[in-house]
Amino acid sequence: MGLEPQQQVDLTAANSLALPCRAAQLARCSTLSELRSARHYAVQQRLPLTLLGGATNTLCPPAIDGLVVKIEAPAGDSFSVVEEHSSTVVIEVAAGVSWAQLVTDTVATGLAGLENLALIPGTVGAAPVQNIGAYGVELAERLVELSFYHWQRDSVTTMSAADCQFGYRDSIFKQSLAGRGAIVALRLRLWREPAAHYRSDYPPLAAALAGSELSAAAIAAAVTAIRQSKLPDPAQLPNAGSFFKNPLLPSSQFNALLAAYPVLPHYPAGRPGWHKLPAAWLIEQCGLKGWQRGALATHHRQPLVIVNRGGASLAELLAFADDIRAAVAAKFAVDLEIEPQPCRAAALGGIGDAV
Ligand SMILES: Cc1cc2nc3c(=O)[nH]c(=O)nc-3n(C[C@H](O)[C@H](O)[C@H](O)COP(=O)(O)OP(=O)(O)OC[C@H]3O[C@@H](n4cnc5c(N)ncnc54)[C@H](O)[C@@H]3O)c2cc1C
């Protein structure tokens, strides 16, 4: 049966920043064959196609022309075990599954590896796009491979973790493959408990876990409690999590800044000669923690999070963010990069086109 998209769908409540947004047409897809139908429909009708997961890291404009494809969870279990080894397993997960649900389900099944990434909103398929990370772990460390449906070629390829060119909140899906296709499934390597590889050295996590016996469940519970104590719940106070990436500076720039601000907090950047700074500290030093204008504010506990207290538009949000960037650039000569992604029309090509 052909695709029958919904017409004129209000997505304001469906994006975590609650930006007013209307999709001309919307198709909800949970399988590869549904994605293929959506692509076919968009090509035949000559419509732009925009891909969304949970829209928790997206800057939605007032109107999205053409067809919005929203990837949703298929019915059934959140994951299946596809390989078993003595101490590890490889699981396969469909793109539309909720990431937070996957973490809950793997931990409840006695599998370790995802517990540090508890409570991150959004879908499994979007997780590799910005290489989600929290509390000392990044998705890149757990990914074995993923399946990528290329819009223009109308075919699925398998990509290894190395193929994904992961970096800090970055991957090939934000670079040369941006708008080129949809991630349809991930395969992740996890450990059977008790695991030898718990990661609990991230300072706030280490403090929360001091004295307790380590397990995936204990770590997930500690991460969940820390996150709930400092991050606003988008259902109550719309936001997209961190609005800016933590800037990475080369040693020359970092050393000059450290000389001027000896208390400057900093972390290893994961590559020699580079240092990571907490953007939240830079924003706070500019006097912008809890700063409000109209419906927008930086959160009073975590200034890296911009909250929409009701009715702000994308234009107002970008102007607010620009003023924060300008203040940080003026005081520290550091450029803050916006983390959430703009809505982008996919590169579809014609039916049967080869690339
Ligand atoms: C309260 C809060 C806390 C957060 N905390 C963290 C955190 O700790 N660490 C962290 O890394 N992030 C965090 N985030 C950001 C967000 O949760 C992640 O970026 C998440 O992976 C986004 O998933 P999504 O399904 O909502 O993606 P969307 O917002 O729907 O999409 C994001 C981008 O990915 C693309 N995309 C979506 N699905 C696919 C797919 N299947 N294939 C290819 N491209 C796709 C979209 O086109 C878009 O460009 C947080 C967000 C919120 C609101």
Side-chain angles (χ1 to χ4, degrees):
M1 210 171 77
L3 191 81
E4 291 178 16
Q6 293 169 260
Q7 307 293 313
Q8 295 300 329
V9 181
D10 188 345
L11 294 179
T12 310
N15 74 92
S16 71
L17 273 161
L19 296 171
C21 176
R22 180 168 289 276
Q25 302 192 44
L26 177 78
R28 300 175 192 276
C29 297
S30 55
T31 62
L32 177 60
S33 72
E34 287 169 353
L35 275 178
R36 279 210 153 99
S37 303
R39 172 202 179 269
H40 190 86
Y41 177 87
V43 170
Q44 281 204 324
Q45 307 279 321
R46 297 181 187 281
L47 296 172
L49 182 157
T50 303
L51 182 64
L52 285 180
T56 67
N57 210 29
T58 296
L59 299 170
C60 288
I64 309 180
D65 293 337
L67 180 67
V68 171
V69 170
K70 197 162 181 333
I71 300 200
E72 297 193 339
D77 293 342
S78 63
F79 70 93
S80 57
V81 174
V82 291
E83 275 180 40
E84 300 215 41
H85 305 279
S86 56
S87 58
T88 64
V89 298
V90 175
I91 63 165
E92 184 166 277
V93 200
V97 168
S98 145
W99 178 268
Q101 189 63 50
L102 173 68
V103 177
T104 302
D105 292 350
T106 53
V107 169
T109 316
L111 295 174
L114 302 184
E115 55 278 3
N116 296 55
L117 304 174
L119 215 64
I120 297 182
T123 57
V124 163
V129 175
Q130 74 152 359
N131 183 20
I132 58 167
Y135 299 93
V137 173
E138 289 183 337
L139 173 84
E141 299 165 70
R142 304 290 177 257
L143 186 78
V144 178
E145 57 188 22
L146 58 77
S147 303
F148 183 75
Y149 173 53
H150 195 288
W151 295 127
Q152 204 161 348
R153 293 179 194 152
D154 188 20
S155 65
V156 176
T157 48
T158 300
M159 298 175 65
S160 68
D163 294 335
C164 297
Q165 298 176 15
F166 288 123
Y168 163 63
R169 299 293 178 277
D170 197 21
S171 73
I172 194 169
F173 309 106
K174 276 188 168 183
Q175 306 295 336
S176 58
L177 288 183
R180 300 256 157 207
I183 295 162
V184 292
L186 310 191
R187 279 166 288 283
L188 304 166
R189 186 178 306 283
L190 305 180
W191 290 271
R192 284 202 188 82
E193 295 227 69
H197 301 281
Y198 298 119
R199 198 75 67 74
S200 61
D201 46 349
Y202 201 76
L205 187 56
L209 288 164
S212 17
E213 195 176 327
L214 288 185
S215 67
I219 293 174
V223 167
T224 300
I226 298 170
R227 293 182 70 97
Q228 285 173 335
S229 72
K230 67 172 201 187
L231 287 176
D233 176 356
Q236 254 95 61
L237 198 48
N239 72 85
S242 301
F243 200 83
F244 302 102
K245 290 166 72 166
N246 288 322
L248 307 183
L249 301 193
S251 287
S252 52
Q253 190 184 356
F254 169 73
N255 289 335
L257 207 54
L258 191 61
Y261 299 94
V263 294
L264 183 72
H266 54 95
Y267 309 99
R271 52 177 162 148
W274 289 78
H275 307 265
K276 192 193 284 183
L277 304 187
W281 187 86
L282 302 175
I283 295 169
E284 187 172 354
Q285 295 305 304
C286 293
L288 296 176
K289 186 175 185 177
W291 179 51
Q292 300 186 5
R293 186 167 69 204
L296 296 162
T298 55
H299 193 252
H300 62 280
R301 281 196 298 269
Q302 173 45 281
L304 201 48
V305 176
I306 298 181
V307 299
N308 178 4
R309 296 175 305 151
S313 67
L314 177 60
E316 288 163 339
L317 174 64
L318 293 177
F320 187 80
D322 267 355
D323 286 351
I324 296 172
R325 296 178 71 206
V328 169
K331 190 171 171 74
F332 298 106
V334 169
D335 188 25
L336 291 185
E337 192 184 328
I338 291 179
E339 187 187 290
Q341 295 297 291
C343 271
R344 167 193 345 252
L348 289 181
I351 290 177
D353 277 1
V355 180

